Amino acid sequence: MWIALVVLGLLAVAVWQTMESGKYQQLTWILLGFFAFRVILGRMRSR
């Protein structure tokens, strides 16, 4: 779980550094947040 969250965090930093502000950057932020949420939900379900 931690590795997946770190990778998603690194991708978020890469998006912030490389993409111009606009709808595509916002869409990418939403998708990364969705995947992070799913990782956390999967961890909670496995307990």
Side-chain angles (χ1 to χ4, degrees), residues 1-14 32:
M1 177 184 98
W2 293 111
I3 294 171
L5 290 176
V6 167
V7 168
L8 287 171
L10 291 173
L11 285 172
V13 169
L32 288 174

Side-chain angles (χ1 to χ4, degrees), residues 6-33:
V6 167
V7 168
L8 287 171
L10 291 173
L11 285 172
V13 169
V15 166
W16 175 57
Q17 292 288 325
T18 60
M19 291 184 78
E20 294 180 13
S21 295
K23 64 180 179 181
Y24 293 116
Q25 185 185 29
Q26 291 174 355
L27 176 64
T28 306
W29 283 104
I30 290 170
L31 288 174
L32 288 174

Side-chain angles (χ1 to χ4, degrees), residues 1-2 4-5 35-47:
M1 177 184 98
W2 293 111
L5 290 176
F35 289 131
F37 182 69
R38 290 209 33 161
V39 168
I40 292 170
L41 277 182
R43 174 67 174 172
M44 293 174 87
R45 285 185 184 173
S46 68
R47 286 185 173 187

